[in-house]
Amino acid sequence: MGMKCFADFNNGRTGEIGGIYAVPTTKLSNVSHGLTQAAPRLKNVSVLTTDTIPHGVQFWDATLGKGCYDKWLRKEFHLAEKIIENLNDWLKAWIDVSDNSDQKVCTYKTEDTTREQFSKVPYVLDHEGAATYRGVKSSAEHGLTEWRSSRAESSLEKFHELLAHFANIGCKSEFANALIARGTAEHNVGARWRYDCMVQCQQGSRLPHPEYVDQTPIFMDHSLLDHLNQQSTSLGFDALFKECQVPEVGNEKEVFFSNYCTDQMERNKQEGTVASTKVCLCDDCKDKYKSPQTTSVARRRSGIARAVDRSTAAA
């Protein structure tokens, strides 16, 4: 069906997955629609990160505004000047070095590629108010504090490792969607359980289960727990499972998995995106941006913008 990859996002605090979209290519224009439809669920985030910044910054500015997307997380605690200095030192140390067979250690592109990163350094610095690590008390004899990263990418990469096992791409899309949905739901239950256990322990609460259960949820299927709660209350009893959480339908038009890919390929033919920002121009998206895309929408309706948008997507 032309699916090349998955685009997904997560809650860096708990590690829960918020959306997965099968897409024809890795271009931002192919996931623009999905992220726009998910925007109401992203409005309250304090820091938003991607692994493509500064590419696509115009899209995030149009959809969420600079207030939520003003700074990005970094890997090392260095100032911008120090990062550039380290890159320069690395170039000086290796650019002219050859191995025993007289082959250059660096290719002819190495210096240009490295210097190109100088302009991107500001986008990898931590937001001043962002809690990039959280301390977890260790049960080991040394008593040292274990520091866990709160950056979204680490938990997202762990989910990607599981995603490969959720469904065989050779099976029918309906079956693959069902398997991926169940796998993602169970991943979220586990992530939420581990986070809640950690928070309660940090607050000094004594959990009503053995310590090893902190890493393994007691119940995986909260839809079943919700059904049992409904059965219990219908008979006049209290709900049996107080911590039951089932997904809420925040946007009925938002679709995931291969259904998104099928719809997106049709949108690419019919609607296109704004060349500068990559925002989606379909009827469900065009009024959701910080600055309404009135000019582009008017051109699309007149039939002028379609050829422009398609040529831009092809580029």
Side-chain angles (χ1 to χ4, degrees), residues 1 7 13 24 37 39 54 67 78 98 101 111 138 147 191 200 222-223 225 276 292 300 314:
M1 62 181 296
R13 180 171 54 89
Q37 293 300 310
H78 293 305
S98 300
S101 60
E111 183 170 7
S138 173
W147 295 97
Q200 291 183 59
H222 281 222
S223 295
L225 301 186
S276 59
R300 175 176 63 82

PDB file of all heavy atoms in Angstrom, residues 1 7 13 24 37 39 54 67 78 98 101 111 138 147 191 200 222-223 225 276 292 300 314:
ATOM      1  N   MET A   1       0.808  -1.213   0.000  1.00  0.00           N
ATOM      2  CA  MET A   1       0.000   0.000   0.000  1.00  0.00           C
ATOM      3  C   MET A   1       0.842   1.264   0.000  1.00  0.00           C
ATOM      4  O   MET A   1       0.333   2.357   0.108  1.00  0.00           O
ATOM      5  CB  MET A   1      -0.946  -0.004   1.203  1.00  0.00           C
ATOM      6  CG  MET A   1      -0.250  -0.014   2.548  1.00  0.00           C
ATOM      7  SD  MET A   1      -1.420  -0.049   3.937  1.00  0.00           S
ATOM      8  CE  MET A   1      -2.237   1.523   3.716  1.00  0.00           C
ATOM      9  N   ALA A   7       5.268   7.299  11.906  1.00  0.00           N
ATOM     10  CA  ALA A   7       5.551   8.536  12.634  1.00  0.00           C
ATOM     11  C   ALA A   7       4.789   8.452  13.942  1.00  0.00           C
ATOM     12  O   ALA A   7       3.612   8.087  13.957  1.00  0.00           O
ATOM     13  CB  ALA A   7       5.096   9.748  11.824  1.00  0.00           C
ATOM     14  N   ARG A  13       7.149  12.374  29.985  1.00  0.00           N
ATOM     15  CA  ARG A  13       7.097  12.228  31.443  1.00  0.00           C
ATOM     16  C   ARG A  13       6.785  10.784  31.837  1.00  0.00           C
ATOM     17  O   ARG A  13       7.439  10.214  32.706  1.00  0.00           O
ATOM     18  CB  ARG A  13       6.030  13.167  32.009  1.00  0.00           C
ATOM     19  CG  ARG A  13       5.873  13.110  33.526  1.00  0.00           C
ATOM     20  CD  ARG A  13       4.952  14.219  33.988  1.00  0.00           C
ATOM     21  NE  ARG A  13       3.678  14.182  33.283  1.00  0.00           N
ATOM     22  CZ  ARG A  13       2.610  13.474  33.705  1.00  0.00           C
ATOM     23  NH1 ARG A  13       2.689  12.758  34.805  1.00  0.00           N
ATOM     24  NH2 ARG A  13       1.486  13.498  33.023  1.00  0.00           N
ATOM     25  N   PRO A  24       3.484   7.403   3.970  1.00  0.00           N
ATOM     26  CA  PRO A  24       4.130   6.993   2.713  1.00  0.00           C
ATOM     27  C   PRO A  24       5.622   7.276   2.698  1.00  0.00           C
ATOM     28  O   PRO A  24       6.404   6.504   2.164  1.00  0.00           O
ATOM     29  CB  PRO A  24       3.392   7.823   1.651  1.00  0.00           C
ATOM     30  CG  PRO A  24       2.109   8.240   2.280  1.00  0.00           C
ATOM     31  CD  PRO A  24       2.423   8.395   3.742  1.00  0.00           C
ATOM     32  N   GLN A  37      -4.392  17.236  13.800  1.00  0.00           N
ATOM     33  CA  GLN A  37      -5.570  16.699  14.464  1.00  0.00           C
ATOM     34  C   GLN A  37      -5.290  16.386  15.940  1.00  0.00           C
ATOM     35  O   GLN A  37      -6.192  16.406  16.770  1.00  0.00           O
ATOM     36  CB  GLN A  37      -6.052  15.436  13.746  1.00  0.00           C
ATOM     37  CG  GLN A  37      -6.582  15.690  12.343  1.00  0.00           C
ATOM     38  CD  GLN A  37      -7.764  16.639  12.326  1.00  0.00           C
ATOM     39  OE1 GLN A  37      -8.726  16.459  13.070  1.00  0.00           O
ATOM     40  NE2 GLN A  37      -7.703  17.666  11.489  1.00  0.00           N
ATOM     41  N   ALA A  39      -3.243  18.204  17.775  1.00  0.00           N
ATOM     42  CA  ALA A  39      -2.815  19.444  18.427  1.00  0.00           C
ATOM     43  C   ALA A  39      -3.589  19.783  19.697  1.00  0.00           C
ATOM     44  O   ALA A  39      -2.990  20.248  20.670  1.00  0.00           O
ATOM     45  CB  ALA A  39      -2.888  20.610  17.440  1.00  0.00           C
ATOM     46  N   PRO A  54      16.463  22.050  13.169  1.00  0.00           N
ATOM     47  CA  PRO A  54      15.452  23.091  12.934  1.00  0.00           C
ATOM     48  C   PRO A  54      14.541  22.842  11.742  1.00  0.00           C
ATOM     49  O   PRO A  54      13.694  23.680  11.451  1.00  0.00           O
ATOM     50  CB  PRO A  54      16.299  24.342  12.696  1.00  0.00           C
ATOM     51  CG  PRO A  54      17.539  23.808  12.057  1.00  0.00           C
ATOM     52  CD  PRO A  54      17.794  22.486  12.720  1.00  0.00           C
ATOM     53  N   GLY A  67       5.267  29.649  21.925  1.00  0.00           N
ATOM     54  CA  GLY A  67       5.223  29.521  23.376  1.00  0.00           C
ATOM     55  C   GLY A  67       5.506  28.104  23.830  1.00  0.00           C
ATOM     56  O   GLY A  67       6.136  27.871  24.849  1.00  0.00           O
ATOM     57  N   HIS A  78      26.245  21.439  27.880  1.00  0.00           N
ATOM     58  CA  HIS A  78      27.248  22.409  27.459  1.00  0.00           C
ATOM     59  C   HIS A  78      26.545  23.656  26.952  1.00  0.00           C
ATOM     60  O   HIS A  78      25.428  23.590  26.430  1.00  0.00           O
ATOM     61  CB  HIS A  78      28.126  21.848  26.328  1.00  0.00           C
ATOM     62  CG  HIS A  78      29.004  20.714  26.754  1.00  0.00           C
ATOM     63  ND1 HIS A  78      29.882  20.792  27.798  1.00  0.00           N
ATOM     64  CD2 HIS A  78      29.127  19.455  26.269  1.00  0.00           C
ATOM     65  CE1 HIS A  78      30.523  19.646  27.938  1.00  0.00           C
ATOM     66  NE2 HIS A  78      30.068  18.815  27.016  1.00  0.00           N
ATOM     67  N   SER A  98      45.620  10.507   8.610  1.00  0.00           N
ATOM     68  CA  SER A  98      45.487   9.346   7.721  1.00  0.00           C
ATOM     69  C   SER A  98      45.805   8.080   8.492  1.00  0.00           C
ATOM     70  O   SER A  98      46.541   8.104   9.487  1.00  0.00           O
ATOM     71  CB  SER A  98      46.432   9.477   6.519  1.00  0.00           C
ATOM     72  OG  SER A  98      46.150  10.644   5.768  1.00  0.00           O
ATOM     73  N   SER A 101      47.265   2.891   5.915  1.00  0.00           N
ATOM     74  CA  SER A 101      47.263   2.700   4.456  1.00  0.00           C
ATOM     75  C   SER A 101      47.177   4.029   3.713  1.00  0.00           C
ATOM     76  O   SER A 101      46.872   4.062   2.517  1.00  0.00           O
ATOM     77  CB  SER A 101      46.094   1.805   4.045  1.00  0.00           C
ATOM     78  OG  SER A 101      44.857   2.389   4.428  1.00  0.00           O
ATOM     79  N   GLU A 111      34.273  18.078   6.857  1.00  0.00           N
ATOM     80  CA  GLU A 111      34.412  19.435   7.387  1.00  0.00           C
ATOM     81  C   GLU A 111      33.157  20.262   7.118  1.00  0.00           C
ATOM     82  O   GLU A 111      32.647  20.951   8.017  1.00  0.00           O
ATOM     83  CB  GLU A 111      35.626  20.130   6.776  1.00  0.00           C
ATOM     84  CG  GLU A 111      35.861  21.517   7.361  1.00  0.00           C
ATOM     85  CD  GLU A 111      37.195  22.119   6.933  1.00  0.00           C
ATOM     86  OE1 GLU A 111      37.876  21.515   6.076  1.00  0.00           O
ATOM     87  OE2 GLU A 111      37.549  23.193   7.461  1.00  0.00           O
ATOM     88  N   SER A 138      17.690   4.647  45.168  1.00  0.00           N
ATOM     89  CA  SER A 138      18.142   3.295  44.883  1.00  0.00           C
ATOM     90  C   SER A 138      18.007   2.417  46.120  1.00  0.00           C
ATOM     91  O   SER A 138      18.210   2.858  47.252  1.00  0.00           O
ATOM     92  CB  SER A 138      19.609   3.325  44.428  1.00  0.00           C
ATOM     93  OG  SER A 138      20.117   2.019  44.287  1.00  0.00           O
ATOM     94  N   TRP A 147      19.689   8.564  38.433  1.00  0.00           N
ATOM     95  CA  TRP A 147      19.124   9.669  37.655  1.00  0.00           C
ATOM     96  C   TRP A 147      18.603   9.140  36.332  1.00  0.00           C
ATOM     97  O   TRP A 147      19.338   8.559  35.542  1.00  0.00           O
ATOM     98  CB  TRP A 147      20.177  10.749  37.418  1.00  0.00           C
ATOM     99  CG  TRP A 147      20.592  11.400  38.698  1.00  0.00           C
ATOM    100  CD1 TRP A 147      21.679  11.095  39.457  1.00  0.00           C
ATOM    101  CD2 TRP A 147      19.891  12.437  39.382  1.00  0.00           C
ATOM    102  NE1 TRP A 147      21.715  11.885  40.575  1.00  0.00           N
ATOM    103  CE2 TRP A 147      20.629  12.728  40.558  1.00  0.00           C
ATOM    104  CE3 TRP A 147      18.728  13.160  39.129  1.00  0.00           C
ATOM    105  CZ2 TRP A 147      20.230  13.696  41.463  1.00  0.00           C
ATOM    106  CZ3 TRP A 147      18.326  14.126  40.025  1.00  0.00           C
ATOM    107  CH2 TRP A 147      19.079  14.391  41.174  1.00  0.00           C
ATOM    108  N   ALA A 191       3.819   1.668  30.994  1.00  0.00           N
ATOM    109  CA  ALA A 191       4.534   2.925  31.223  1.00  0.00           C
ATOM    110  C   ALA A 191       3.854   3.740  32.319  1.00  0.00           C
ATOM    111  O   ALA A 191       4.515   4.296  33.200  1.00  0.00           O
ATOM    112  CB  ALA A 191       4.596   3.727  29.919  1.00  0.00           C
ATOM    113  N   GLN A 200       4.656   7.463  43.712  1.00  0.00           N
ATOM    114  CA  GLN A 200       4.176   7.135  45.058  1.00  0.00           C
ATOM    115  C   GLN A 200       5.335   6.804  45.996  1.00  0.00           C
ATOM    116  O   GLN A 200       5.323   7.198  47.169  1.00  0.00           O
ATOM    117  CB  GLN A 200       3.207   5.958  44.983  1.00  0.00           C
ATOM    118  CG  GLN A 200       1.886   6.286  44.293  1.00  0.00           C
ATOM    119  CD  GLN A 200       0.933   5.115  44.300  1.00  0.00           C
ATOM    120  OE1 GLN A 200       0.551   4.591  45.356  1.00  0.00           O
ATOM    121  NE2 GLN A 200       0.555   4.665  43.105  1.00  0.00           N
ATOM    122  N   HIS A 222      -7.336  -2.632  30.540  1.00  0.00           N
ATOM    123  CA  HIS A 222      -8.211  -1.750  31.299  1.00  0.00           C
ATOM    124  C   HIS A 222      -9.602  -1.645  30.683  1.00  0.00           C
ATOM    125  O   HIS A 222     -10.548  -1.232  31.352  1.00  0.00           O
ATOM    126  CB  HIS A 222      -7.578  -0.365  31.429  1.00  0.00           C
ATOM    127  CG  HIS A 222      -6.526  -0.303  32.496  1.00  0.00           C
ATOM    128  ND1 HIS A 222      -6.398   0.747  33.375  1.00  0.00           N
ATOM    129  CD2 HIS A 222      -5.552  -1.187  32.839  1.00  0.00           C
ATOM    130  CE1 HIS A 222      -5.392   0.518  34.207  1.00  0.00           C
ATOM    131  NE2 HIS A 222      -4.860  -0.650  33.894  1.00  0.00           N
ATOM    132  N   SER A 223      -9.733  -2.006  29.409  1.00  0.00           N
ATOM    133  CA  SER A 223     -11.072  -2.057  28.819  1.00  0.00           C
ATOM    134  C   SER A 223     -11.902  -3.152  29.490  1.00  0.00           C
ATOM    135  O   SER A 223     -13.099  -2.994  29.724  1.00  0.00           O
ATOM    136  CB  SER A 223     -10.978  -2.314  27.311  1.00  0.00           C
ATOM    137  OG  SER A 223     -10.354  -1.231  26.661  1.00  0.00           O
ATOM    138  N   LEU A 225     -11.367  -4.197  32.608  1.00  0.00           N
ATOM    139  CA  LEU A 225     -11.655  -3.696  33.953  1.00  0.00           C
ATOM    140  C   LEU A 225     -12.838  -2.727  33.924  1.00  0.00           C
ATOM    141  O   LEU A 225     -13.686  -2.744  34.828  1.00  0.00           O
ATOM    142  CB  LEU A 225     -10.424  -2.981  34.529  1.00  0.00           C
ATOM    143  CG  LEU A 225      -9.134  -3.797  34.655  1.00  0.00           C
ATOM    144  CD1 LEU A 225      -8.073  -2.976  35.390  1.00  0.00           C
ATOM    145  CD2 LEU A 225      -9.370  -5.112  35.356  1.00  0.00           C
ATOM    146  N   SER A 276       5.669  26.609   2.516  1.00  0.00           N
ATOM    147  CA  SER A 276       6.604  27.136   3.502  1.00  0.00           C
ATOM    148  C   SER A 276       6.509  26.440   4.850  1.00  0.00           C
ATOM    149  O   SER A 276       7.516  26.188   5.512  1.00  0.00           O
ATOM    150  CB  SER A 276       6.378  28.641   3.684  1.00  0.00           C
ATOM    151  OG  SER A 276       5.043  28.886   4.103  1.00  0.00           O
ATOM    152  N   PRO A 292      -4.613  31.420  10.323  1.00  0.00           N
ATOM    153  CA  PRO A 292      -5.376  30.707   9.294  1.00  0.00           C
ATOM    154  C   PRO A 292      -4.739  30.846   7.920  1.00  0.00           C
ATOM    155  O   PRO A 292      -4.283  31.917   7.530  1.00  0.00           O
ATOM    156  CB  PRO A 292      -6.757  31.389   9.352  1.00  0.00           C
ATOM    157  CG  PRO A 292      -6.834  31.952  10.730  1.00  0.00           C
ATOM    158  CD  PRO A 292      -5.434  32.366  11.089  1.00  0.00           C
ATOM    159  N   ARG A 300      -6.193  27.034  -3.343  1.00  0.00           N
ATOM    160  CA  ARG A 300      -6.487  25.617  -3.555  1.00  0.00           C
ATOM    161  C   ARG A 300      -7.879  25.441  -4.132  1.00  0.00           C
ATOM    162  O   ARG A 300      -8.105  24.654  -5.031  1.00  0.00           O
ATOM    163  CB  ARG A 300      -6.389  24.856  -2.225  1.00  0.00           C
ATOM    164  CG  ARG A 300      -6.790  23.391  -2.347  1.00  0.00           C
ATOM    165  CD  ARG A 300      -6.589  22.666  -1.036  1.00  0.00           C
ATOM    166  NE  ARG A 300      -7.419  23.196   0.025  1.00  0.00           N
ATOM    167  CZ  ARG A 300      -8.699  22.867   0.193  1.00  0.00           C
ATOM    168  NH1 ARG A 300      -9.296  22.051  -0.645  1.00  0.00           N
ATOM    169  NH2 ARG A 300      -9.399  23.373   1.187  1.00  0.00           N
ATOM    170  N   ALA A 314       6.719  16.668  -4.238  1.00  0.00           N
ATOM    171  CA  ALA A 314       7.628  15.809  -5.003  1.00  0.00           C
ATOM    172  C   ALA A 314       9.068  16.214  -4.771  1.00  0.00           C
ATOM    173  O   ALA A 314       9.974  15.376  -4.776  1.00  0.00           O
ATOM    174  CB  ALA A 314       7.282  15.895  -6.486  1.00  0.00           C
TER     175      ALA A 314
END
